[in-house]
Amino acid sequence: MLKRLFLAVGLTVTSALPGFAASLDTVTERGVLRFAVYRDFPPFSHRVGGSLEGADVDLAKAIAGKMGLGVEFMELTADENMDDDLRNAVWKGSILGGGVADVMMHVPVNRDFAQRNDLVVIFGAYQRETFAVARDPSRISETAGFPVFQTEKVGVELDTVPDFFLSGAFGGRLRENIVHYGTVDQAVDGLRAGEVAAVFAPLSQLEGALGPDKAKFPIGRMAAPNLNPSEWKIGMAVKQDGHDLAYRVGDVVTELLDGGTVKAIYDRHGLTHSAPAE
């Protein structure tokens, strides 16, 4: 997931818009707002006992509820990069069918990324995310820095920013102690099992994966001056001609942020909510 958010290099889309976005009036008449969320992306959107759950799912329900609308979900399978995900979710649809959503959740709010994807409108930042380290306190002290991984093993999700950062840090001297996993959840399982002394990943994903074990494996920051990006904003996207829908949903997100609803959703999932900077 993280690789697609920040490292994938996509071509600028120049083809004509295929069809039109659902307008605010159309959505209101329909009575339902359709959101695209990622499949198997805890703690934001994943299935638990057959039910779709997560912070993004609850926020989408809160947005629709505030607008007096019902809610539907399109579960999005991650493609090669975020550019492809935007195409599949909101402006064209997958070649496998299934249509498009009105709004896509969990989109990086970044000027360069938005300019490259000019067939969508990116808006409505609702969270500021950052990287963190979950550690085994019996092996790594609270004051330790990244050089500790010259002797202790650290887990990362394969081909992500943490992976590339650690691989190149300190002249590559940490490389032998990097243990690769398919997901952050698997890396945290490795931490629990003692396979690694720490996991380096986005804060929210660490918190979601650890759950009640956060007390056993403390989560904190390690100074990483050359890490880029070190934090980023998460928002939403609609098709490029859906400005009126974006304005309305954006206003609702602001109301939910100001009223504490977004923080309450994150609290309910055991996550730290950091309001996005203006």
Side-chain angles (χ1 to χ4, degrees):
M1 187 69 66
L2 208 60
K3 177 173 70 173
R4 292 194 327 283
L5 286 176
F6 302 112
L7 299 181
V9 178
L11 297 175
T12 300
V13 182
T14 57
S15 59
L17 281 171
F20 297 96
S23 68
L24 177 60
D25 286 344
T26 299
V27 169
T28 302
E29 290 173 10
R30 186 203 306 156
V32 174
L33 193 55
R34 192 180 196 213
F35 288 89
V37 296
Y38 281 107
R39 179 179 285 115
D40 300 327
F41 186 35
F44 301 105
S45 47
H46 60 123
R47 288 206 168 263
V48 180
S51 298
L52 187 60
E53 299 183 4
D56 283 349
V57 173
D58 286 354
L59 178 55
K61 291 177 179 177
I63 292 168
K66 193 80 170 176
M67 296 173 65
L69 301 172
V71 63
E72 289 181 355
F73 290 100
M74 169 184 168
E75 295 180 59
L76 180 68
T77 300
D79 210 316
E80 290 297 317
N81 54 54
M82 275 294 300
D83 308 73
D84 293 337
D85 293 346
L86 287 168
R87 177 196 65 216
N88 293 337
V90 293
W91 69 260
K92 185 176 183 181
S94 169
I95 59 173
L96 301 176
V100 295
D102 303 312
V103 181
M104 179 179 174
M105 303 290 290
H106 221 93
V107 178
V109 180
N110 173 276
R111 181 180 300 174
D112 292 339
F113 178 71
Q115 289 177 343
R116 188 171 80 229
N117 287 278
D118 59 353
L119 294 187
V120 300
V121 176
I122 297 175
F123 69 101
Y126 54 87
Q127 164 74 336
R128 187 175 73 254
E129 187 62 272
T130 187
F131 291 107
V133 175
R135 61 186 174 85
D136 181 342
S138 70
R139 297 169 64 178
I140 297 180
S141 72
E142 184 178 3
T143 58
F146 283 108
V148 72
F149 300 125
Q150 292 180 89
T151 55
E152 290 284 3
K153 292 191 178 297
V154 56
V156 296
E157 183 179 357
L158 180 66
D159 288 345
T160 59
V161 171
D163 181 12
F164 293 126
F165 172 77
L166 291 176
S167 296
F170 306 101
R173 290 197 294 273
L174 313 184
R175 205 169 291 154
E176 294 300 315
N177 281 322
I178 301 171
V179 180
H180 295 103
Y181 294 91
T183 66
V184 173
D185 280 38
Q186 291 170 4
V188 167
D189 285 342
L191 176 62
R192 290 190 180 101
E195 298 169 357
V196 294
V199 176
F200 184 33
L203 173 61
S204 294
Q205 289 183 260
L206 288 174
E207 291 177 325
L210 279 168
D213 286 338
K214 285 187 288 186
K216 184 178 179 181
F217 300 102
I219 303 173
R221 300 284 297 275
M222 281 189 180
N226 296 319
L227 178 63
N228 185 33
S230 59
E231 64 177 36
W232 61 100
K233 292 187 287 186
I234 297 169
M236 308 174 190
V238 299
K239 190 184 287 189
Q240 192 273 339
D241 58 340
H243 286 85
D244 59 344
L245 181 60
Y247 290 142
R248 178 67 183 120
V249 172
D251 287 344
V252 169
V253 170
T254 299
E255 293 174 24
L256 295 175
L257 283 167
D258 293 345
T261 299
V262 181
K263 183 181 185 304
I265 289 171
Y266 273 66
D267 288 346
R268 188 160 63 244
H269 289 277
L271 309 177
T272 299
H273 179 253
S274 297
E278 293 295 331

